[in-house]
Amino acid sequence: AALVHRIPHLNFLVRAMSARNLGALHHQASWPLLVKSLDDLHADVRSVALRSLAQIQAPRSFGALIERLHLAVLQRIQSPSQDHLKAAMAGFGLAHAHELIPSLRHPHREIRCLAVEVLREMISRAAGDQDFTLTPESLSPGLSGLLLTELSSDANPEVRGCTAEMIAYMDDERAAPVLLRLADDPQWFVRVRTLRGLAKSRFLPYLAQIHACLGDRQWQVRETAIQTLLSFGQEGTSHVFHHFLVSNDKASKQQIIEAIQGAGLAKSLLEHYAEGGNGLAKKVVEEIVGIGATTCFAGMLKSSSPQLRRKFLDRLSPQLPRQTQYLEPPVLEPDPGITEIVPFPFAVAA
């Protein structure tokens, strides 16, 4: 420590260690000093000060971080970075979300975008892996209304995409109509993020509207619509199967086949068909084999029991004899040039 004090260009270490220690101690009263340290000449000190502010989470420091975020955009201040500022602010949680309202309404599109990303991260952290719902207690009515009206129609598509993800958590009768509108947004990535948000049990009544997205011109949207429908279990899967049977789009059909394999549905389809099952599943199996996608079942047939394999092929063969031959196990015929097996001579050591 004495060496650090004696060498001028190492003085920043003292400032950095001091900022770090204040964060480790959760010293609430030190937040103004840490905010001031965000203007330190040394980048390491600025970075440590921001981390300490995130650790302490002094309520009044959140407003200071909002101001800093504005400066990062308006004055192009590079350090602390916008990403680090967003992460630090998100850690304050939804209790401070209402303070973002002026930023969410800011005329500068980039500031609105950064503010909405902070709010989304707050909600994401609160949600965790549970079936989380945003209630009026967790999100103020003013903020909810802002999401459902202004931000869902923002000129910046990044803002609309983030907003869709948040609206999907809301326990509000206005949420579903707004999400269905965003599922038809001009920007494909907004449609993708909306469909991801719709993969929640509360949106089960809107399977038909999600189904319509299977015909989207953008493959990423179709892929997300498939995954969202499959997440609803049998009801959603039926929509995917029906689209597969009526679609003339080869790319769309291939996406569905890959999704069927990825979701582990190919094995259940095979077993259902082999045991004489009918309905959509039977038609899907025959359509998959009929268009030549035999690899969907070939590997599983090899590892299946001989009885199951035989029942599957016997039922399929009359319908699609030409395609079924590619699923038949190869018959190994003996080489006529081999007339006898000669034992390899070897000697046993005494």
Side-chain angles (χ1 to χ4, degrees), residues 15-272:
R15 301 194 301 276
M17 287 188 290
S18 298
R20 183 197 62 186
N21 291 339
L22 289 172
L25 293 170
H26 290 269
H27 191 261
Q28 292 274 326
S30 65
W31 73 264
L33 295 173
L34 291 169
V35 169
K36 187 177 180 180
S37 296
L38 296 178
D39 291 319
D40 195 277
L41 294 176
H42 202 284
D44 287 351
V45 178
R46 297 194 294 270
S47 179
V48 173
L50 182 62
R51 286 201 299 270
S52 291
L53 284 167
Q55 282 181 289
I56 296 171
Q57 293 184 9
R60 291 170 60 191
S61 67
F62 189 76
L65 291 178
I66 291 177
E67 292 178 11
R68 182 65 51 166
L69 192 66
H70 287 206
L71 290 174
V73 174
L74 300 175
Q75 297 183 13
R76 294 299 167 191
I77 297 174
Q78 301 298 317
S79 177
S81 70
Q82 294 178 7
D83 287 341
H84 290 163
L85 282 167
K86 286 190 298 181
M89 293 169 68
F92 280 70
L94 286 172
H96 292 270
H98 65 281
E99 297 181 53
L100 291 168
I101 290 178
S103 301
L104 294 169
R105 285 189 166 136
H106 199 281
H108 199 296
R109 59 183 284 145
E110 192 174 345
I111 289 177
R112 293 197 309 278
C113 188
L114 291 172
V116 85
E117 286 175 352
V118 171
L119 180 58
R120 179 194 58 183
E121 183 60 26
M122 285 178 170
I123 292 172
S124 178
R125 293 186 186 192
D129 297 325
Q130 301 174 356
D131 189 14
F132 177 77
T133 301
L134 279 173
T135 63
E137 290 73 30
S138 54
L139 200 67
S140 69
L143 198 48
S144 299
L146 186 61
L147 289 171
L148 290 163
T149 54
E150 297 177 39
L151 295 176
S152 66
S153 302
D154 196 276
N156 187 343
E158 289 288 346
V159 171
R160 298 197 302 273
C162 279
T163 301
E165 294 179 19
M166 293 184 283
I167 290 174
Y169 286 108
M170 291 175 61
D171 182 18
D172 192 303
E173 61 183 9
R174 298 170 293 173
V178 173
L179 288 172
L180 295 178
R181 171 171 59 79
L182 289 169
D184 194 34
D185 192 272
Q187 288 289 342
W188 67 266
F189 59 85
V190 177
R191 302 196 296 275
V192 165
R193 292 165 82 167
T194 303
L195 285 166
R196 286 176 184 160
L198 286 167
K200 294 178 175 62
S201 58
R202 69 174 68 95
F203 299 117
L204 183 62
Y206 304 101
L207 289 182
Q209 290 87 336
I210 300 171
H211 182 155
C213 298
L214 294 174
D216 196 278
R217 60 189 177 278
Q218 198 75 27
W219 72 264
Q220 294 96 329
V221 179
R222 297 195 302 270
E223 180 72 25
T224 309
I226 292 168
Q227 296 301 330
T228 296
L229 286 169
L230 292 178
S231 73
F232 286 100
Q234 187 174 353
E235 290 185 65
T237 302
S238 295
H239 280 269
V240 175
F241 285 175
H242 183 268
H243 183 81
F244 178 75
L245 293 171
V246 301
S247 175
N248 294 318
D249 184 357
K250 292 182 179 179
S252 180
K253 281 180 175 287
Q254 184 58 39
Q255 279 184 289
I256 291 174
I257 291 172
E258 291 173 2
I260 286 172
Q261 290 178 289
L265 294 172
K267 187 174 187 294
S268 61
L269 283 172
L270 186 153
E271 293 172 349
H272 176 86

